[in-house]
Structure formats: structure tokens, C-alpha cells
Amino acid sequence: MLERRSALAAHPLVNPANRADLSTAGTVRVTLSERPTLSILQVSAFAQTADAAGIYLAGALELELPAANRFSGDLRKSVRAIGPGIWQIVGDDGAVPEAAAIRATLAGVATVVDLSHARAAFQVSGAAAARTLAKHCGLDLYTPKFPTGSATNTRFGHIGMTLARIDDAPTFELLVFRGYAEFVFESLVEAAEEFGLLILT
Amino acid sequence: MQQFNCPFCGTRDQSEFTYGREVAPVPALDASPADWQRFVYERDNPCGAHAEWWHHNHGCRQWLEIVRDTLTHEVLEIKAARRSKERA
Ligand SMILES: [Zn+2]
């Protein structure tokens, strides 16, 4: 397996010395962090095989199959239903099976693509996390419409992202195209600054 | 903003979708140039109900069939364009 690297490795704000002016003297309402070592597999079934693929997949992962735009599991290993017959398996290296193993399990019913190196993952957490994201995302992110356990594809500015709400802090997890990682990180910093931002890197 | 009620994702901003084209049977690969001309370039452009393909590209990534009133923007019908299992 290729070594996982932070998508922000070259970004100056990753060094705390370079963000002294992002002072957290006031109340921290948003915490921002990157999760550089996620394993992400995308499973796409055919229209005729989506039901079978879902059953095999849930069995292989030992997780319940989530309803549309929901996830099951936890941070260590989760499966997200992001389209009809389309799931993303997201979690820690080691907890998420190898792509080849899932591919063998789903042979003939679904394709499996390893996106681990194609995405960057961010967590935005805290009382003002939804207000921060609302500057770049048109979804209603408040509890009744987007409760913990939600996971969906939507927009961040002009790019697509997979957004999940993983706890009641609330903490949102963003998966974005890795080439846009610095753009997303800087946009989040700028959006969160007025609420009191703590960057964890 | 105009919103569409995606059958998979629920109500989403129109900016998550991309317009494809009006719904029409796709000609066979060996159809005549005249048939392809009609399919690719010619539009009825009605005032009123119009059946359209839209792609939910920033959502479930499915193609949808939407019947939209071109005068009022009212969505009269919305469904997945993919055929279901009985086609298999
Ligand atoms: Zn959709």
C-alpha cells in the first residue's frame, strides 16, 4: 500500500507559527482538522444487481446497510449510501477491507474503486460548524434536516463533496477532490474565523 | 433559487444539477444524418410543459427526467431516468 500523506503537507498554515494572527483568545466555536489517513472505497452496482450488491456488501463489512443518504458504522469503519446502488466505504486503514477483497466479494454485481488517494478529508466541528459550512453549501445542515448519521454528495462552493454528520457536537466530515484540498482548507479557515477557530494539525 | 425534489436525495438547489437536453429517443448508431441532425440540433422549444433530462452531478449522480413548465418553472413531474430492473 502506498504511504498516505497529508494533502496540506505544503500549506503554511499547518505550521502553528504561521497562524498566530488566527488567535483563539476568544471562544472557540469551530474546530478544523484534516484526517490524512482515511481509506475510501467506492462501490457502484448495476441497476439489476443493486439489491444483491447491498446484501453482500453489508455482510462483508459486518454493518447494517444504510438508508439513502445515511451512513452506518462509526469513524473507524462506515458505509455511506450516496446514490442508488452507490456506496462509499470510509474508515481507517486496516479497519476498511482492501479494495481487492471487496472486489472479489462483489464480482459480477458491482465495481470497486479505491479513492483513498483521490480525496482529502476534513472535519469541521463545534457550535458554529453548520454556520461555517452554510457559507459554501446550500443544504439545510441543522438537526431536523441533516441529523447525525446523514451522508450525502452535495456542493462546496463550485466543487462537489461528500458530506457526513458524524456526531452531535456537531462534527461534519467533508471528503473533497484532493487537488482542491488547499482551496477547501483556506475557504473553511476564512469562513470560520469570525466564530472563533481552532486549527488542529 | 429553483429547487428540484430529487427522487433519491430530496429537495436540492438547482445549482447541484446540470441540464442535459429535452427527452427524445436516441437514434440508432447507423441512423441517417437527417435523424441525427434532428436529435442533436432541432428543438421544439414549447411554451409550457417540457420533458427534460437533468443530471444530479453534485448529488446522487443520476440522470433524471423532469417535466418542467418553461413559462412558470413549475416542476410537474420528476423521476429517475434509469430504467428499472424489469429491463434486465
Ligand atoms: Zn439526487
Side-chain angles (χ1 to χ4, degrees):
Chain A
M1 186 189 287
L2 290 166
E3 186 198 344
R4 306 256 192 262
R5 289 188 60 209
S6 164
L8 300 175
H11 200 284
L13 281 184
V14 166
N15 181 350
N18 291 332
R19 53 181 196 242
D21 57 332
L22 288 173
S23 157
T24 54
T27 316
V28 172
R29 293 189 189 83
V30 182
T31 306
L32 173 58
S33 58
E34 188 204 6
R35 219 180 146 198
T37 57
L38 270 195
S39 196
I40 307 166
L41 305 179
Q42 179 147 320
V43 175
S44 306
F46 307 100
Q48 313 89 294
T49 58
D51 293 346
I55 293 166
Y56 293 149
L57 183 62
L61 296 174
E62 296 173 325
L63 289 174
E64 260 178 58
L65 204 63
N69 292 308
R70 305 276 302 168
F71 72 84
S72 60
D74 51 27
L75 274 184
R76 210 176 58 83
K77 180 179 74 179
S78 68
V79 59
R80 300 157 181 207
I82 56 169
I86 308 174
W87 294 274
Q88 264 180 7
I89 310 166
V90 183
D92 295 333
D93 287 342
V96 168
E98 295 284 323
I102 293 290
R103 201 171 284 134
T105 305
L106 298 176
V109 296
T111 59
V112 180
V113 180
D114 188 340
L115 296 179
S116 312
H117 296 277
R119 297 288 183 273
F122 296 102
Q123 286 187 2
V124 182
S125 187
R131 289 175 69 190
T132 299
L133 289 171
K135 295 185 185 183
H136 296 281
C137 174
L139 276 191
D140 183 346
L141 296 174
Y142 293 88
T143 300
K145 286 283 179 67
F146 202 76
T148 297
S150 301
T152 188
N153 281 348
T154 183
R155 274 191 325 121
F156 182 94
H158 63 282
I159 66 167
M161 66 170 164
T162 307
L163 181 69
R165 181 172 149 176
I166 54 183
D167 67 29
D168 289 339
T171 302
F172 297 94
E173 187 192 74
L174 291 67
L175 303 183
V176 298
F177 300 119
R178 189 181 170 94
Y180 287 106
E182 294 196 346
F183 157 75
V184 171
F185 178 66
E186 287 170 7
S187 302
L188 288 170
V189 169
E190 205 174 300
E193 234 183 310
E194 65 164 307
F195 304 120
L197 168 66
L198 177 65
I199 301 175
L200 299 177
T201 52
Chain B
M1 186 185 287
Q2 167 107 50
Q3 293 186 315
F4 294 140
N5 189 11
C6 170
F8 187 81
C9 307
T11 302
R12 296 294 180 93
D13 290 350
Q14 178 262 314
S15 60
E16 289 194 4
F17 300 79
T18 304
Y19 181 75
R21 55 157 294 147
E22 69 180 23
V23 175
V26 181
L29 281 178
D30 58 357
S32 70
D35 286 347
W36 276 105
Q37 163 81 20
R38 158 129 187 81
F39 176 76
V40 175
Y41 294 111
E42 294 175 21
R43 300 282 180 272
D44 291 336
N45 195 26
C47 174
H50 189 229
E52 303 167 340
W53 277 313
W54 287 76
H55 187 220
H56 196 185
N57 59 313
H58 284 318
C60 57
R61 304 197 56 76
Q62 301 300 298
W63 281 93
L64 306 176
E65 271 184 36
I66 297 179
V67 181
R68 187 179 62 94
D69 190 308
T70 57
L71 191 65
T72 64
H73 301 298
E74 186 188 355
V75 174
L76 305 166
E77 198 185 323
I78 184 164
K79 63 180 184 192
R82 69 151 63 181
R83 311 255 184 98
S84 55
K85 280 174 277 188
E86 54 266 27
R87 189 184 178 210

